[in-house]
Amino acid sequence: MITVLCTILGICFLSVQSTSANTKSATVISTAKLIKAPYHAVSGYIYQSTSLTHKQHNADHYPLTTFYATRSANIIRPNGNKAVYNYIKNGNNHIHGWIWRGYLVRVINVQKQKAAINKLVSLIDALTPFSHDKVTSLLKNVGRKESLNTLLSTLSNLSSSITDTSDIQKIETMYKLLKSDGQTLAAIFQNGLKKLYTGVIALHQFNNQVFKLAEGLLALIPD
């Protein structure tokens, strides 16, 4: 702000007073480490820190860049709304910062996921008739809102009720596959298997609901 000051002798001079607008910072509630995974940023700004006061990059400028998310933060934005932001960086770490999770889409290695789906179907198909019926019955009873954790828990309980050693090993392998890739596979079935083509795909919807996964596996299991 510039103020004109005058003395009683009529001499005037300028007084410059600097004012700074205080930008309200976001508040971090909690943070967590993420398993490093590839994403595309489809929109929004990449911020320097979780305070969300300084925009470093506009994600619109990097539509084909692969970013890797390594951390997440639950944040209360300056407007009072809660949101989750992920820390991302590109391969050479030249572009990095915090972005709202909703602007990220996961990049999927299609061949790896095809192999996982085929492995699950093969394992189920190779079970003895008794265990095969148990597993398919389990999949048929998966509810529309059922979570991956519930499916894993039920599968684990199922293995304890089976006596055939070979079947137990197969179910344990299924459990490990679903534990490591279940969320990705659920997203693939949710979005439609037709998206599984050679190369990579980007999937936006990632949640723990496994109804479509169970339904999709049942459709692939031979009668």
Side-chain angles (χ1 to χ4, degrees), residues 53-189:
T53 55
H54 178 67
K55 298 171 182 175
Q56 286 203 126
H57 306 283
N58 186 335
D60 290 341
H61 297 161
Y62 309 100
L64 301 179
T65 300
T66 298
F67 292 97
Y68 297 90
T70 56
R71 286 179 284 163
S72 71
N74 288 301
I75 288 173
I76 299 178
R77 289 168 168 162
N79 62 9
N81 293 332
K82 292 182 179 179
V84 178
Y85 279 71
N86 285 357
Y87 180 80
I88 59 172
K89 58 183 178 181
N90 69 337
N92 59 18
N93 204 29
H94 286 171
I95 307 166
H96 55 86
W98 294 86
I99 188 170
W100 178 50
R101 183 174 62 180
Y103 289 141
L104 297 175
V105 294
R106 179 78 171 271
V107 179
I108 302 299
N109 182 324
V110 170
Q111 295 306 312
K112 177 185 174 184
Q113 302 309 324
K114 273 186 176 180
I117 291 169
N118 290 336
K119 180 73 172 175
L120 283 170
V121 172
S122 297
L123 286 167
I124 296 170
D125 192 42
L127 293 170
T128 60
F130 175 80
S131 299
H132 183 278
D133 289 346
K134 288 283 187 181
V135 171
T136 53
S137 177
L138 182 159
L139 293 173
K140 288 175 182 176
N141 290 325
V142 170
R144 289 186 175 274
K145 298 296 183 181
E146 197 155 311
S147 71
L148 177 60
N149 286 338
T150 303
L151 177 60
L152 288 171
S153 176
T154 308
L155 195 60
S156 179
N157 292 336
L158 177 62
S159 66
S160 65
S161 67
I162 292 173
T163 56
D164 187 285
T165 305
S166 178
D167 282 356
I168 291 173
Q169 290 175 344
K170 291 182 180 71
I171 291 174
E172 286 177 350
T173 302
M174 290 169 55
Y175 179 91
K176 290 175 183 176
L177 267 173
L178 288 170
K179 188 174 183 180
S180 62
D181 276 344
Q183 194 177 22
T184 305
L185 296 179
I188 285 172
F189 279 103

